[in-house]
Amino acid sequence: MHLVDYPESDRANELARKTRDLMDEVILPFERDLGPGEAISDSELESLREAAKDYGVYCPQMPEEYGGMGESFRDSLAVFEEAGQSLLGPPALRVDAPDEGNMHTIELAGTEAQKERWLPPLIEGEAKSAFSMTEPAPGGGSDPKMIKTTAEKDGDEWVIDGHKWWTSNGYEADVFLVMARTDQDAHPYEGCSIFLVPAEADGLELVRDVPSMDSSMLEVSHAEVRYDGVRVPEENILGAENEGFQIAQRRLGPARLTHCMRFCGMADRALAIARAYMQHRDAFGSSLADKQSLRHKIAEQELALHTTRTTTRDAARRISEGHQARIPVAMCKVKAARMVQEAVDLAIQCCGGAGLSRDLPLVDFYEGLRFFRIGDGADEVHLRSIAREAFEDEHVADADLANLPEF
Ligand SMILES: Cc1cc2nc3c(=O)[nH]c(=O)nc-3n(C[C@H](O)[C@H](O)[C@H](O)COP(=O)(O)OP(=O)(O)OC[C@H]3O[C@@H](n4cnc5c(N)ncnc54)[C@H](O)[C@@H]3O)c2cc1C
């Protein structure tokens, strides 16, 4: 429901309209025809990508010289939202995680040679990538300072040793962006680096595909990976030595917002499905759409969706103006993850048994969204940052406590 006109540029509105046309005319009909529990094949995905190119919305966020459209981050955001209406939208438009964030990281921090090597095939969809940071206990998870994977210099090579898991795309990736400690003595935030590791490197072992709660529509792996004496040439470091976390931080801000926008699209579609079902279904003498208790719940979710859209646009504006916007991004991330979970859950409830059937996409949505309250920083980790900032606020109203006993 786009009741509210968001203050987008003309170009953003144009891109959003083209994407909506592509979704309505090609991607949603294709999704509805896909059998329940059936995954999209490579050739079918390729044909959806061709359609995205024909509609002029393929990989808008990447530079033209490497095969993207060179649109600004803010103008691309509405495309992410429209694409998010279907789980098939983001891979079709090549705005899908984790490749989208990885391409952005290479564009941000890569040398010209690294960009030329990896960006064109990644943009074209001929190559895939993985971001390998999270480790099983006792390594780094929510607290990345606990990272145990190391990279040591040996002549003109780096030697990487470590154990990671939840490396999304691990089984499909041609290149891994691996976070490793390069200075044991420094604070981890100043002693880690990112390396580009080709999938065929000796010593890179895919231990298993972690069985996880995921939509069956897209077959994405989440690999447990061992790096056992993996050697890469020194030019495979991404960005400056020991700046891994600074790069990750610059990657994560925009990447979290693109997630938020995709999930706004998912919530929007889920609520549209719920409203359609309610209008066609009667119970106890009237349409479900006439039941005030359900109407109010839909209204609450429309409110939460609108709030998420506006806060995400606000954070994107700050990033585009050169600010890090760490706290606004953390707020969007928590808000969007909760909002979409509640919206899809409500849509399932409103559709009754049909909501839990795979005749509708809601079950796939539900399976696909749950990770977002954990991945890219769990709710509690973001709330911790927001709270820290709030408690550091100098405008603590001590004076207001003056009349209390013992203050
Ligand atoms: C589907 C999926 C895809 C993923 N893809 C990738 C990927 O591509 N690359 C990658 O590197 N990682 C990936 N991850 C990993 C993800 O980023 C981590 O799971 C996440 O950062 C949490 O780390 P952890 O699992 O080690 O949880 P833990 O650190 O063990 O934390 C467990 C729970 O403790 C709570 N918690 C943590 N800290 C605090 C605190 N300070 N206060 C209160 N509660 C707290 C949170 O609820 C958290 O969920 C993925 C995860 C999933 C589920």
Side-chain angles (χ1 to χ4, degrees), residues 127-386:
K128 288 193 174 178
S129 60
F131 191 74
S132 199
M133 181 156 107
T134 305
E135 300 171 345
S142 291
D143 183 356
K145 294 194 296 302
M146 293 160 65
I147 278 184
K148 300 268 181 290
T149 299
T150 57
E152 285 182 14
K153 200 75 180 284
D154 182 22
D156 54 6
E157 290 182 320
W158 287 96
V159 185
I160 303 171
D161 285 282
H163 185 194
K164 304 276 189 184
W165 77 328
W166 288 111
T167 298
S168 298
N169 257 357
Y171 275 78
E172 298 83 20
D174 299 277
V175 62
F176 291 65
L177 283 68
V178 183
M179 180 75 85
R181 267 178 191 262
T182 35
D183 184 344
Q184 292 295 335
D185 301 326
H187 184 283
Y189 286 157
E190 273 131 37
C192 284
S193 310
I194 301 176
F195 296 90
L196 292 168
V197 179
E200 64 277 10
D202 284 342
L204 188 161
E205 182 200 352
L206 297 174
V207 179
R208 63 175 179 141
D209 183 359
V210 180
S212 71
M213 178 182 185
D214 257 330
S215 159
S216 50
M217 216 179 263
L218 300 167
E219 287 174 333
V220 175
S221 64
H222 305 289
E224 181 178 340
V225 192
R226 282 198 185 274
Y227 299 90
D228 185 10
V230 173
R231 286 179 173 270
V232 291
E234 60 185 347
E235 60 266 23
N236 279 31
I237 196 165
L238 185 61
E241 186 175 335
N242 295 328
E243 283 194 2
F245 274 104
Q246 287 82 334
I247 295 167
Q249 207 53 48
R250 284 167 69 203
R251 161 211 171 97
L252 281 172
R256 283 176 179 143
L257 296 185
T258 60
H259 262 318
C260 293
M261 291 303 280
R262 283 185 290 259
F263 282 124
C264 283
M266 179 187 280
D268 192 31
R269 173 126 181 262
L271 294 173
I273 290 170
R275 291 194 304 272
Y277 184 88
M278 289 162 69
Q279 276 159 352
H280 287 100
R281 180 72 166 151
D282 288 351
F284 301 98
S286 66
S287 151
L288 290 180
D290 290 335
K291 314 287 183 203
Q292 193 71 313
S293 60
L294 293 185
R295 293 177 74 85
H296 279 188
K297 285 185 183 150
I298 295 283
E300 293 284 358
Q301 287 310 315
E302 293 292 353
L303 177 60
L305 173 57
H306 173 55
T307 316
T308 311
R309 281 174 171 146
T310 48
T311 48
T312 305
R313 283 169 168 82
D314 172 64
R317 176 187 58 76
R318 292 172 195 241
I319 286 181
S320 300
E321 289 170 0
H323 306 288
Q324 219 186 15
R326 225 168 38 82
I327 299 302
V329 169
M331 288 176 167
C332 295
K333 161 55 169 90
V334 175
K335 178 80 190 152
R338 289 178 178 172
M339 179 279 296
V340 70
Q341 186 179 338
E342 286 166 12
V344 173
D345 188 64
L346 174 65
I348 289 174
Q349 192 70 18
C350 290
C351 293
L356 285 175
S357 77
R358 287 195 194 268
D359 292 339
L360 295 175
L362 299 174
V363 176
D364 275 296
F365 284 0
Y366 205 73
E367 289 170 343
L369 69 82
R370 184 59 182 87
F371 93 95
F372 197 40
R373 292 193 46 220
I374 294 175
D376 270 358
D379 287 1
E380 293 82 356
V381 174
H382 290 292
L383 291 171
R384 178 176 172 270
S385 308
I386 297 167

Side-chain angles (χ1 to χ4, degrees), residues 91-105:
L93 278 81
R94 206 60 179 134
V95 297
D96 52 329
D99 283 319
E100 177 260 317
N102 292 337
M103 291 189 284
H104 180 57
T105 310

Side-chain angles (χ1 to χ4, degrees), residues 39-90:
I40 185 170
S41 69
D42 287 349
S43 61
E44 288 168 333
L45 180 55
E46 191 45 47
S47 71
L48 295 187
R49 286 184 172 155
E50 287 307 316
K53 286 176 190 164
D54 291 345
Y55 278 72
V57 288
Y58 185 81
C59 207
Q61 77 283 10
M62 294 306 292
E64 269 180 292
E65 57 185 307
Y66 302 111
M69 290 172 55
E71 304 292 344
S72 72
F73 176 55
R74 282 180 74 184
D75 286 349
S76 306
L77 267 190
V79 173
F80 284 80
E81 173 169 359
E82 297 297 344
Q85 289 182 73
S86 166
L87 291 167
L88 303 178

